[in-house]
Amino acid sequence: MTSIVMERKPRSGVLAVVLGIVVIFVASLATDQVLHVLNVYPPWGEPMWDNKLNAIALSYRLVFDVLGGYVTARLAPHAPMKYAMRLGYVGLVLSVLGVVGGYMAKAGPMWYPIVLAITALPSAWLGGALYVRGRR
């Protein structure tokens, strides 16, 4: 006798996108916190001007952005790439707000939030594509 395993997916594509955002935020903030506790990063609230530290932050954020795209595509009720790209557009908007906020707050080098904005869509696309490719 064969059994069929049904994937449990949310009925809402909005929920899939929200869960992708949650994955990105939780993973990023958890990694940030570890690096703050280890005194790799300056204390919370202090600007981080060191380009090497910003490059470290960018590297894991890009990985987490791809992971968020993967999770969103995996949980999408249909058309996984469509929902992964919707996550990318949300990321783009949030990143552009980060560019404006970073400029106004003088929180660190401007290249960092600009690169996050530039990579929001490609990262989401890559995450979605990895899911779709693995599904075949």
Side-chain angles (χ1 to χ4, degrees):
M1 177 160 75
T2 62
S3 64
I4 299 173
V5 177
M6 302 283 292
E7 289 185 355
R8 295 189 54 90
K9 293 188 175 192
R11 294 181 184 196
S12 166
V14 172
L15 182 57
V17 171
V18 168
L19 291 173
I21 292 168
V22 168
V23 165
I24 293 167
F25 281 4
V26 169
S28 295
L29 289 174
T31 305
D32 288 347
Q33 180 61 27
V34 167
L35 292 171
H36 282 287
V37 168
L38 295 174
N39 294 317
V40 174
Y41 286 174
W44 285 104
E46 287 188 20
M48 190 164 74
W49 288 99
D50 186 328
N51 283 322
K52 291 176 187 171
L53 296 180
N54 280 281
I56 291 169
L58 179 63
S59 66
Y60 61 80
R61 277 188 167 69
L62 290 175
V63 171
F64 297 148
D65 288 351
V66 172
L67 177 62
Y70 183 93
V71 167
T72 297
R74 167 81 171 73
L75 297 176
H78 56 84
M81 288 302 295
K82 174 180 162 180
Y83 287 99
M85 292 309 296
R86 286 182 177 172
L87 173 73
Y89 286 114
V90 171
L92 175 60
V93 169
L94 293 175
S95 296
V96 168
L97 292 173
V99 169
V100 173
Y103 177 77
M104 294 175 68
K106 307 288 187 242
M110 286 306 300
W111 67 263
Y112 174 75
I114 291 170
V115 172
L116 285 176
I118 291 169
T119 59
L121 290 173
S123 297
W125 178 87
L126 180 57
L130 288 171
Y131 170 70
V132 169
R133 182 176 179 208
R135 201 174 61 166
R136 291 183 187 157

